[in-house]
Amino acid sequence: MDALELEKTYCAPNYAPLPVVLTRGKGVWLWDAQGNKYLDMMSAYSAVSHGHGHPRILGALTRQAEKLAVASRAYHSDQLGPFLERLCRVTGLDAACPMNTGAEAVETAIKAARRWGYKLKQIPDGRAQIIVAAGNFHGRTTTIVGFSDEAAYRDGFGPFTPGFVTVPFGDAAAVEKAITADTCAILVEPIQGEAGIRVPPAGWLKQLREICDRHDVLLILDEVQSGLGRTGKWFAWQHEGIQPDGACLGKALGGGILPVSAFVARREVIDLLTPGSHGSTFGGNPLAAAVGLEALQVLEDERLIERSAEQGEFLLQALRKVRSPLIREVRGRGLWIGVEFDPLHVWARKVCERLSHRGILTKETHDTTVRFAPPLVIARAELEWAVKQLELVVRELERELLPSLQLQTA
Ligand SMILES: *Cc1c(COP(=O)(O)O)cnc(C)c1O
């Protein structure tokens, strides 16, 4: 059997990958087993924001791997402090709990928020509530999928953890109405990634901040995908000049090499995670800390945040110029752009398949959105080439799917 057949036979069928077998990656490019070259337009959901095999991050990885990789938090290491100090400096928050995956950072946030509710806000035991947004994506644990409204994420996995209240995304008034004396936190993505790169109305985060202050509720932002430059700022909350009480980070924090995540928060919140209350065997290991620190340093040294803003604006305008009855909307921030196709004509999956034939790898979110979220190191000429390929795919699909249009323009 070839690699694709082996994977189909021996891997749980919990993904439906495009039929491409990748073997190598460098910068913004990927190669398959046949030697075909592809431009990476999804960056593993922001995990590869630095590009594949960034030399400096690879250097930090190999140097640290040779010295000490995993030791456990039963001891201190010389790597964890410097990493978390930097993380606190860039977030403007006080301290962090290091974990591995994004879902674990969110689980950590949920635990810390509930403890804060009981110990500091004096919510009666067992009653703490967290307000979340419809269309959310925060990971795949049983607790987290319990407050997802995506049927596929939930089907057959109940019973679910109580204590979550869902309100419409981007609706501050609905949040305020949902708050009770038992509300400990609001947990939202500043821009919803998996829901289709949904940008909320301007001012929403600011309103959430005010509501949280008014009602003594924590504002916790899940920036696992939006954070670390993806939207053209270090964090999406900076577009509205606010500061959350806690933030979940992951994906790009691992520099495209390792899973590294963290829950970063104000002192009063993080200090509730006392010895024995929470932990992770691999969380904060020296290898992850060394890679995480270098990942943060590279973002700064290579001005990748500023590049995301500049290149993202160019990409947004260029994609908007691809006019077609197949396309309903182009939206996004920084190098995080969703092109919404009209499901009356074509599914996003088909567009992704056609793009892959033209050397671009990306992934649909839901059925209608094609995402353009390349590594932040991407060059202008590469973006121009990608837009050209999308335009060619769109024209090709128009010819096949809209023959009547063909007649009109002929
Ligand atoms: C991907 C993602 C997660 C989960 O991260 P994993 O590393 O897959 O557990 C959580 N929140 C958001 C916003 C994400 O995009």
Side-chain angles (χ1 to χ4, degrees):
M1 280 193 270
D2 65 9
L4 194 148
E5 281 303 313
L6 284 169
E7 193 177 309
K8 278 196 167 161
T9 308
Y10 292 106
C11 185
N14 59 328
Y15 280 85
L18 292 177
V20 174
V21 179
L22 297 173
T23 56
R24 196 160 67 86
K26 186 85 203 122
V28 297
W29 298 98
L30 289 162
W31 286 264
D32 71 11
Q34 284 83 45
N36 299 310
K37 184 179 170 188
Y38 302 91
L39 186 61
D40 185 355
M41 267 291 163
M42 83 167 286
S43 318
Y45 310 88
S46 285
V48 189
S49 282
H50 300 77
H52 298 275
H54 193 290
R56 276 183 56 186
I57 303 173
L58 272 182
L61 175 92
T62 48
R63 273 194 310 279
Q64 189 58 40
E66 283 169 0
K67 272 173 37 190
L68 176 65
V70 175
S72 112
R73 297 279 312 281
Y75 318 98
H76 295 282
S77 86
D78 62 351
Q79 299 299 309
L80 186 56
F83 166 48
L84 297 185
E85 180 203 34
R86 177 61 61 91
L87 193 55
C88 288
R89 180 155 73 69
V90 298
T91 55
L93 291 162
D94 298 328
C97 181
M99 301 297 283
N100 313 285
T101 64
E104 288 172 298
V106 173
E107 287 279 346
T108 305
I110 292 168
K111 283 169 128 182
R114 286 180 169 179
R115 258 205 178 183
W116 179 88
Y118 297 126
K119 311 259 177 203
L120 296 183
K121 197 179 172 179
Q122 312 282 321
I123 295 171
D125 197 34
R127 295 185 47 163
Q129 286 192 335
I130 296 176
I131 296 174
V132 298
N136 69 71
F137 182 83
H138 297 288
R140 303 293 203 150
T141 67
T142 38
T143 290
I144 291 171
V145 298
F147 59 85
S148 163
D149 46 23
E150 185 66 35
Y153 300 167
R154 296 165 55 91
D155 179 36
F157 298 137
F160 298 116
T161 316
F164 299 93
V165 178
T166 306
V167 300
F169 179 69
D171 184 343
V175 168
E176 188 147 34
K177 247 174 82 184
I179 287 179
T180 70
D182 294 336
T183 306
C184 62
I186 295 170
L187 167 64
V188 292
E189 300 152 85
I191 291 176
Q192 286 189 331
E194 293 316 291
I197 312 181
R198 285 172 71 197
V199 183
W204 178 64
L205 283 181
K206 221 173 179 163
Q207 288 173 299
L208 290 187
R209 180 68 272 172
E210 286 160 15
I211 290 168
C212 285
D213 290 342
R214 205 152 52 231
H215 296 277
D216 195 22
V217 166
L218 298 177
L219 179 59
I220 296 178
L221 297 178
D222 181 348
E223 293 244 14
V224 169
Q225 194 166 160
S226 58
L228 301 173
R230 179 52 58 189
T231 70
K233 299 264 189 199
W234 272 91
F235 303 100
W237 71 68
Q238 293 167 335
H239 290 288
E240 300 210 352
I242 63 143
Q243 190 66 13
D245 300 299
C248 305
L249 301 177
K251 290 188 172 142
L253 195 54
I257 289 186
L258 287 178
V260 182
S261 75
F263 172 61
V264 199
R266 288 198 292 111
R267 178 71 57 193
E268 153 190 314
V269 178
I270 211 87
D271 278 356
L272 295 163
L273 297 173
T274 49
S277 66
H278 190 54
S280 158
T281 303
F282 286 97
N285 69 72
L287 190 61
V291 165
L293 177 59
E294 193 66 14
L296 293 172
Q297 190 65 53
V298 165
L299 285 175
E300 195 169 312
D301 292 347
E302 297 190 0
R303 299 184 64 255
L304 294 184
I305 318 295
E306 293 84 347
R307 285 188 61 148
S308 174
E310 292 157 15
Q311 304 281 51
E313 189 52 34
F314 168 79
L315 180 59
L316 185 70
Q317 297 313 330
L319 287 171
R320 281 188 174 151
K321 282 190 200 127
V322 182
R323 298 199 181 277
S324 165
L326 300 180
I327 296 176
R328 287 208 302 201
E329 193 190 9
V330 180
R331 57 173 179 265
R333 266 214 158 130
L335 280 170
W336 205 26
I337 295 171
V339 178
E340 175 94 15
F341 282 82
D342 189 336
L344 285 177
H345 298 308
V346 66
W347 297 116
R349 171 90 185 187
K350 186 173 206 123
V351 179
C352 292
E353 284 166 4
R354 294 295 173 93
L355 282 170
S356 77
H357 300 156
R358 291 188 178 273
I360 289 184
L361 289 184
T362 184
K363 170 91 171 68
E364 74 278 10
T365 86
H366 288 260
D367 290 331
T368 52
T369 310
V370 175
R371 77 180 93 203
F372 287 83
L376 307 183
V377 296
I378 197 164
R380 180 64 56 96
E382 291 160 340
L383 288 175
E384 284 168 349
W385 182 78
V387 173
K388 186 78 212 156
Q389 302 316 303
L390 177 76
E391 184 156 19
L392 291 170
V393 165
V394 164
R395 299 300 166 235
E396 185 180 293
L397 288 168
E398 282 175 352
R399 278 195 299 278
E400 288 170 35
L401 302 167
L402 303 170
S404 55
L405 183 91
Q406 189 75 23
L407 287 177
Q408 284 167 22
T409 51

